[in-house]
Amino acid sequence: MAQIKKKTGFGRHRYVILHVLGVCKSSANKNHLLNTMIAVIDYNVGNVKSVCNAFRHIGCEAELSCDPKRIEEAAGLVLPGVAAFGFAINALGDLAEVVKRAALSGKPILGICVGYQMLFDESYEFGTHKGLGLISGKVAAIPSGRVIPHMGWNEVALPRDMKLFTDLPEKKHFYFAHSFYADVTDEETRVAYTDYGFELSASVQKANIYGTQFHPEKSGLQGLKVLGNFAKIAQRKARK
Amino acid sequence: MLAKRIIPCLDVKDNRVVKGVNFLNLRDAGDPVELGARYSDEGADELVFLDITATIRSRKTIVELVEKVAENVFIPFTVGGGIGTIEQMDELLRSGAEKVSVNTAAVAKSNILTEGAERFGAQCVVLAIDARRRTDIKGKWIVTVKAGTEPTEIDVVEWAQKGEEMGAGEILLTSMDADGTLAGYDNELNKAVSDAVDIPVIASGGAGKLEHLYDAIVDGDADAVLMASITHFETISIREMKQYLRNRGIAVNL
C-alpha cells in the first residue's frame, strides 16, 4: 500500500513539473509540417547525451547529429562540450563552418560550457586557439587566488531582458565545472554574471546567439527551464 | 561563492535502494531511478549511488542503472562501489555519471586515483573513505575497506592527504560509527580531514536532524553534507534542509 501511494505521489509530482516547464510537445504536434527539432551537435567530446536526455525529458524533440543537412533543417542548434578548448575546436573540424553559417543566417544557437567558450574569438587554454568569432571576447584562465576548477553551484544574477531566463527569478544557482572563462568585450552582447571573487560571465545573448558557461542540463529544474526557453525561442523563429 | 551542497546517497543492492545502521540491518527504501528522479526534482544538488553488492554480476546491472538514471536525473551524480579499474571508470562516466568514487581499489592499488585523474580530470575522481574511530588512541581513525568489513592500519587523515596528492578531486568521508544512527555527523573527524586537505570534503554518516547539517558545515568545515535515512524515509525534505541552512546564514542553492 505504501508503495502504491508513493508511486502515485511521484507520478503526480512529475506531471506538475512537466506542466510548469510547460513546453514543446503540444506545439510540435500542432505543427506537423514544421520542423521543431533541436540538433545537438555531436562531435565526439564529453557526455553530449545528457543534453539530449534533458530536452527529451521536457518533451522537446532533440537529435544528436553531425550531419550538416540535419543541422541545416533543425529549428535550433546546441553546441555542447566537455573537453579542453583546443581539443574541442579541432574535433568540431569542418562542422565549425556549418555551425557558423547557421548562426549567421539567424538560426538560434546555444553554446554550453566549452561550446559557449567556442562562440568567442580565441582561447588561451594550452596554447592559443581560434574560436568561431561570433561574439567578441577572449577565453582566459580563471585568475589564481581561488579554488580552480570553479566547480559546483553558484548564483547567477539573471537580467530581465535575457530570453533564456524568462519566467525565472532575479537570481538562481546553476551548476558550473570549468577552469577557463570568457572575458566578453562585445558591446552588443547582454551578459549575466556570477560572483567567484570576480565577475565571471555565466551567460550571453547576442541576437540569435546564446551561451551558458554553466551546464543547464545538470542544473535541476532551473536548468531545464533554460533549455525549455531556448526550445521556445527556436520554435518561434522556425514558425516565422 | 559556491553553495554548500545537499547530497542524498542511494545505497543500491539487487536493484533496490537500501539503508542500514552501521552498515548492517538493511531496510528497503525504493527504486533507485524513481528515488533519484524525485531528489533531482526536489532540488538536491548532487546524488551518490553506491553499489553495495559490487559483485561481477552486479557490474552490468549498475551500468544499466547509470544509463537509466542519466535519462531521469538532471543534476550531477557520482557512482561508486567495487570500482577497480580505469576501464570501469570510463564505462560509468560514458554511461552518464559525472564522477566515480573509489575506496578499496585505491588502498589496494594506489595508482588508480592518479591514472583516473590524468585520464578523466581530478574533478571526476572521488576518494571514498570509510572511517572507524580508534578505541586505543583518542582523536584518531583508521581506514576500513570492503564495505566496512576489513580494517586496515592506515590513518584516515594521512590517507586523505595522500589521496589528494595522488589526484582525487574530492573526499567522501563516511563515519562508520555514526552511519545510520541519526545521532549527528562525526565532526571531529570532518574537521580533522577538512583542515588537512584543500579539496572539498563531503561529510557522511549520522544525519538525523536539521541542526546536524549545520554543525557538519560549521564545526566540521564540510563543503557538502550527505544523508540517506532522513530523506529516504521522508523525515525531512530537501527543501526544509535548504531553508533551514539559509535561515542560519549558509549559502545554499534554493
Side-chain angles (χ1 to χ4, degrees), chain A:
Chain A
M1 187 62 200
Q3 267 297 336
I4 294 164
K5 224 171 154 184
K6 213 169 173 180
K7 252 188 164 161
T8 319
F10 171 78
R12 190 171 55 234
H13 186 62
R14 283 250 125 170
Y15 170 77
V16 168
I17 283 158
L18 286 172
H19 187 69
V20 168
L21 288 164
V23 271
C24 336
K25 201 136 216 172
S26 57
S27 55
N29 290 342
K30 278 178 211 151
N31 297 282
H32 292 293
L33 298 171
L34 185 74
N35 198 345
T36 55
M37 182 264 288
I38 303 288
V40 178
I41 314 280
D42 184 11
Y43 61 110
N44 274 324
V45 294
N47 179 23
V48 292
K49 219 165 61 180
S50 58
V51 177
C52 281
N53 285 340
F55 274 114
R56 285 175 193 152
H57 184 72
I58 55 173
C60 297
E61 192 194 341
E63 187 177 301
L64 206 54
S65 180
C66 55
D67 175 4
K69 193 169 163 281
R70 291 301 284 163
I71 293 171
E72 196 127 313
E73 285 166 0
L77 302 184
V78 176
L79 187 57
V82 181
F85 191 100
F87 181 85
I89 202 86
N90 283 329
L92 192 58
D94 295 343
L95 283 178
E97 272 314 304
V98 179
V99 171
K100 207 170 159 175
R101 207 168 48 234
L104 293 174
S105 78
K107 196 189 287 287
I109 172 169
L110 171 65
I112 296 174
C113 197
V114 173
Y116 157 79
Q117 295 179 356
M118 288 197 289
L119 300 174
F120 296 90
D121 296 320
E122 59 182 5
S123 164
Y124 307 123
E125 184 175 10
F126 301 120
T128 302
H129 307 276
K130 277 234 158 305
L132 297 173
L134 294 168
I135 298 177
S136 305
K138 291 174 172 36
V139 178
I142 293 174
S144 58
R146 66 214 84 219
V147 178
I148 296 167
H150 174 225
M151 200 165 124
W153 294 80
N154 210 340
E155 193 170 57
V156 181
L158 309 176
R160 283 279 139 246
D161 56 353
M162 286 180 75
K163 291 185 208 159
L164 286 182
F165 305 128
T166 302
D167 296 333
L168 279 165
E170 277 172 24
K171 287 177 179 175
K172 211 65 194 155
H173 281 83
F174 291 92
Y175 182 76
F176 291 83
H178 63 119
S179 304
F180 284 70
Y181 79 104
D183 182 11
V184 188
T185 50
D186 198 310
E187 284 178 2
E188 296 163 40
T189 297
R190 294 288 295 130
V191 188
Y193 291 99
T194 188
D195 177 13
Y196 196 48
F198 72 110
E199 293 272 274
L200 187 153
S201 66
S203 179
V204 293
Q205 171 183 325
K206 180 187 183 182
N208 57 312
I209 300 161
Y210 303 84
T212 61
Q213 176 62 71
F214 56 79
H215 287 273
E217 77 283 11
K218 290 286 169 187
S219 294
L221 289 184
Q222 56 266 45
L224 294 176
K225 183 75 203 168
V226 168
L227 294 177
N229 282 338
F230 177 73
K232 275 188 190 162
I233 292 165
Q235 286 164 8
R236 245 179 252 138
K237 176 84 186 171
R239 235 173 258 141
K240 274 181 191 165

Side-chain angles (χ1 to χ4, degrees), chain A residues 14 153-154 173 195 218 220, chain B residues 1 3 41 45 74 98 252-253:
Chain A
R14 283 250 125 170
W153 294 80
N154 210 340
H173 281 83
D195 177 13
K218 290 286 169 187
Chain B
M1 190 174 46
D41 290 347
D45 298 308
F74 302 100
E98 227 64 36
V252 289
N253 156 32

